[in-house]
């Protein structure tokens, strides 16, 4: 038995960082063989073909087969895991509507190709931005595939939030848990420390001891740092987040397939939880149980948190309306 994994935008930066980790067994463990399908647009094929040659040179014992194609039908043929990384970036002078429309032109057909060609239990993870709304469009175009199988990556935001909180607490990052991201993968996201634990104990008192006024610290330091981390990486590195994005993608899919022992974050379809309008792909605190994401329910965000969540959800509603008004949903 082996798992077929399709990576779109495989000739791009995140694709390059993902492929070798998957082939090395970081995604599905040391016993599961993988078959890779690399989907690119014609301009990106050479780069993906080059990566495929390097995959051969890695002599990975788990890698059964690599195929490079610009055909979505071929790429998604019997695919079990689809990682939708390739997207249209915002070009100069591009308005939000243009960006949403350009990406709807990618994610709509890819959703349809997944429905027609993928394995019945396919799981889809959208990385390409705007990730939540791209996932919504793909799900809406995938007749017969439950919307629960379409997710958007917000794990990088959570990993950033856990790392920043660990720094503030002077604790090892592995000890810090329960820092979920709510809302959109965008600057409006709400990284929520109110349930955070360190070594299984509530972090609130330790945090207050170190930063003083926690709300002020969250507003002026923590939330902007996490939400604008992508821009900070570009500023310092001269290029966008790549290895950390690939790493978060691995974390997300691995946890989805193998299960979690605590909360994490994922953009998943809302059924109205926490007042989030039904059908939106919104980031929530989640657990993965029996191969399915389950939203952590019965939390009681305070008024301040509710306002933050509502602002990010309002942005998701706006994006959905914009796509609808263009007749693309
Ligand atoms: P690159 O520009 O390096 O690579 C994108 C690749 O996608 C290119 O090779 C391009 O040819 C290909 N592509 C474009 N349209 C395609 C289509 N219709 N079918 C197949 N392939 C197609 O970008 P990279 O740095 O790899 O980033 C990829 C996406 O991830 C971007 O949209 C980026 O904004 C998004 N990100 C999302 C993150 C998240 O947490 N959700 C974090 C990192 C990253 O910013």
């Amino acid at each position: 038995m082996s798992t077929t994994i399709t990576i779109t935008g495989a000739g791009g930066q995140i694709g390059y960082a993902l492929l070798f980790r998957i082939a090395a067994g970081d995604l599905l463990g040391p016993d599961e063989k993988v078959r890779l399908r690399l989907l690119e647009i014609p301009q990106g094929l050479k780069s993906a073909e080059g990566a495929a040659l390097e995959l051969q040179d890695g002599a990975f014992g788990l890698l059964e087969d690599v195929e490079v194609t610009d055909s979505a039908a071929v790429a998604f043929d019997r695919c079990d895991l689809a990682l939708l990384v390739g997207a249209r970036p915002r070009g100069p002078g591009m308005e939000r509507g243009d960006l949403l429309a350009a990406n709807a032109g990618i994610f709509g057909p890819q959703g349809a190709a997944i429905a027609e060609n993928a394995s019945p239990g396919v799981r889809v993870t959208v990385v390409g931005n705007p990730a939540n709304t791209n996932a919504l469009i793909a799900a809406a175009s995938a007749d017969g595939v439950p919307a629960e199988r379409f997710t958007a990556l917000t794990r990088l935001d959570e990993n950033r939030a856990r790392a920043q909180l660990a720094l503030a607490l002077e604790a090892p990052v592995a000890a810090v848990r329960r820092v979920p991201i709510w809302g959109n993968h965008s600057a409006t996201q709400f990284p929520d420390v109110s349930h955070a634990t360190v070594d299984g104990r509530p972090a609130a008192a330790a945090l207050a001891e170190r930063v003083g006024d926690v709300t002020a610290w969250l507003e002026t330091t923590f939330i902007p740092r996490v939400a604008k981390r992508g821009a900070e990486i570009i500023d310092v590195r001269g290029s966008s987040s790549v290895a950390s994005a690939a790493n978060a993608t691995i974390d997300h899919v691995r946890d989805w397939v193998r299960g979690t022992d605590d909360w994490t974050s994922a953009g998943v379809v809302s059924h109205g939880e926490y007042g989030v309008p039904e059908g939106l792909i919104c980031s929530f605190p989640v657990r993965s149980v029996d191969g399915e994401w389950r939203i952590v329910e019965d939390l009681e965000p305070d008024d301040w948190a509710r306002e933050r969540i509502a602002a990010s959800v309002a942005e998701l509603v706006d994006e959905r309306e914009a796509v609808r008004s263009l007749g693309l949903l």
Side-chain angles (χ1 to χ4, degrees), residues 8-15 39-41 43-44 85-88 106 110 126-129 131 153-154 156-157 185 240-242 245:
T8 76
Q13 299 194 85
I14 294 173
L39 179 66
E40 261 292 350
I41 49 177
Q43 308 88 288
V85 181
R88 177 76 193 273
I106 294 173
Q110 287 184 356
V126 176
V127 177
N129 281 318
L153 183 76
T154 55
L156 177 56
D157 304 303
H185 168 67
S240 56
S241 307
V242 175

Side-chain angles (χ1 to χ4, degrees), residues 31-88:
D31 301 320
E32 182 69 15
K33 301 226 181 220
V34 292
R35 304 165 76 90
L36 297 179
R37 302 277 174 269
L38 316 189
L39 179 66
E40 261 292 350
I41 49 177
Q43 308 88 288
L45 279 175
K46 278 276 172 211
S47 175
E49 282 163 6
L53 294 180
E54 281 201 77
L55 282 166
Q56 279 180 346
D57 295 349
F60 292 103
L62 294 175
L63 186 56
E64 274 194 346
D65 172 40
V66 183
E67 187 164 354
V68 181
T69 178
D70 62 358
S71 156
V74 172
F76 293 117
D77 182 32
R78 282 165 290 166
C79 123
D80 303 300
L81 300 171
L83 311 183
L84 308 189
V85 181
R88 177 76 193 273

